[in-house]
Amino acid sequence: MSVYNEGKEVVNGTGIYYYRSTQTSEEQLTLLFLHGVTDSAACFLSLAEYFRKDYPLLLPDARAHGSSDAPEDGYSAEERAADVHGLMNRLKIRQAVVFGHAMGAETALALAADYPSEVAGVILEDPLWPGRSYGALIEERAAQWKSDIVEQNHQTFETLLGQIRSQHPLWSEEDMRCWAEARRHAHPHLVNMILTPRRRWTDYLRAVHCPLLLLTADPEMGAIVRPETVQEAAKVWKNGREVHIPQAGHFIHRDQTEAVVQAVQSFLNELSSYVIGNKLSTLTGSQGQKVRP
């Protein structure tokens, strides 16, 4: 018997595909995983397994990813967050702790900012901070990215898998194969995410009041968030902390899975002590705290 139910709900006019653990409870916080660009919900299943016995799980495919629909519009952080919010409502999920990677981290932060009563905590894995500014070249960059995605769509699974093995030799076989499959099915319309207006990343942080965990790694290995960016974040977040995980790049949960599980579990354990109904208390001592595993 499968430990996940799979389904598709139409929210905001778009079919959003999802995995939901069969162990569900309206009294428990749901742990919600939001994947990064050209990834898919299925690629988070291996990490989610570490938490399945303790939390109901929800893993949606973002629009233009996996098995979700790919409309031409609707790719801003707020619109992606509205997709997740709509899915939570359809599935009668009252409150969640949201784990987001890269693009998914941006979505998670927008969800916490726009729907604060439904987000108990946020875990951000190497978000796209401070963001990429394309200036006058934005149309040219979008066109190139779209071309790259179309090329990937036409590559064989074996070709993409070989590229990933070369680039990330220490990943598990499951992670390699899952990302190869996800990249083949990413839809070119996702490039519209860089063409949509967005608030500055610090504006999202200022709007979030729930406890927040920021997972960072090593820029020299490809991580996006740099130490100076963390310093800027610590000036504006209200209830945040950083955990730096060394020997990892942008895909921290694939490079150092055990360290990520440890950091997330610690955050969840502490968070659960402060959740009373739908009200949250500030995590003592978490203001700008930096923790190393």
Side-chain angles (χ1 to χ4, degrees):
M1 181 177 178
S2 175
V3 296
Y4 288 96
N5 292 319
E6 299 178 43
K8 196 171 190 177
E9 295 286 345
V10 177
V11 293
N12 303 317
T14 301
I16 300 297
Y17 193 84
Y18 66 90
Y19 296 85
R20 189 184 190 188
S21 59
T22 54
Q23 174 191 343
T24 60
S25 170
E26 292 188 6
E27 302 305 318
Q28 280 185 287
L29 286 173
T30 291
L31 187 53
L32 171 59
F33 288 89
L34 303 179
H35 63 80
V37 69
T38 73
D39 223 315
S40 73
C43 295
F44 254 144
L45 289 174
S46 59
L47 179 64
E49 185 63 22
Y50 287 91
F51 306 97
R52 183 173 55 81
K53 292 183 179 180
D54 297 318
Y55 294 90
L57 304 175
L58 178 64
L59 302 89
D61 283 331
R63 55 175 61 202
H65 293 77
S67 297
S68 287
D69 293 349
E72 187 170 355
D73 301 316
Y75 293 92
S76 70
E78 288 80 8
E79 288 167 318
R80 299 194 311 266
D83 287 344
V84 178
H85 173 255
L87 182 62
M88 290 175 65
N89 282 346
R90 293 296 295 268
L91 299 179
K92 296 181 170 55
I93 295 173
R94 295 174 52 198
Q95 201 173 42
V97 178
V98 189
F99 183 119
H101 171 239
M103 176 193 75
E106 184 181 57
T107 308
L109 206 58
L111 184 70
D114 292 347
Y115 309 97
S117 66
E118 296 171 35
V119 178
V122 180
I123 302 162
L124 308 177
E125 178 191 1
D126 202 31
L128 307 177
W129 294 349
R132 298 184 175 93
S133 177
Y134 295 100
L137 298 177
I138 187 169
E139 297 288 348
E140 180 180 333
R141 296 292 180 90
Q144 181 59 56
W145 190 18
K146 184 175 182 178
S147 176
D148 292 343
I149 292 172
V150 170
E151 181 179 350
Q152 288 182 1
N153 292 160
H154 289 87
Q155 287 180 318
T156 66
F157 174 82
E158 289 73 19
T159 297
L160 286 172
L161 183 60
Q163 294 172 1
I164 294 169
R165 281 181 173 149
S166 176
Q167 296 165 358
H168 305 283
L170 300 181
W171 285 10
S172 71
E173 182 70 12
E174 180 182 0
D175 283 340
M176 291 181 186
R177 298 182 72 86
C178 188
W179 197 35
E181 190 65 24
R183 289 171 68 183
R184 289 184 67 233
H185 291 92
H187 196 282
H189 282 166
L190 68 86
V191 304
N192 290 328
M193 64 177 287
I194 68 172
L195 300 173
T196 58
R198 64 180 59 186
R199 290 178 277 173
R200 195 171 190 274
W201 64 278
T202 49
D203 292 338
Y204 292 105
L205 271 182
R206 287 190 179 92
V208 171
H209 295 267
C210 66
L212 181 150
L213 173 65
L214 172 64
L215 300 177
T216 63
D218 299 332
E220 60 270 22
M221 292 185 64
I224 294 174
V225 177
R226 307 184 69 84
E228 55 268 29
T229 306
V230 178
Q231 293 175 5
E232 187 175 358
K235 294 177 182 179
V236 299
W237 65 30
K238 298 176 176 63
N239 197 11
R241 66 173 64 181
E242 178 204 10
V243 171
H244 179 82
I245 298 180
Q247 299 302 309
H250 179 55
F251 299 92
I252 310 174
H253 68 280
R254 290 173 180 155
D255 292 338
Q256 295 291 341
T257 304
E258 291 185 6
V260 169
V261 171
Q262 178 183 345
V264 172
Q265 190 61 67
S266 178
F267 178 77
L268 292 172
N269 289 343
E270 189 172 0
L271 179 64
S272 65
S273 300
Y274 292 87
V275 177
I276 304 173
N278 288 327
K279 295 183 179 180
L280 300 172
S281 299
T282 300
L283 294 182
T284 303
S286 67
Q287 296 288 342
Q289 181 179 356
K290 185 172 185 176
V291 183
R292 292 180 179 270

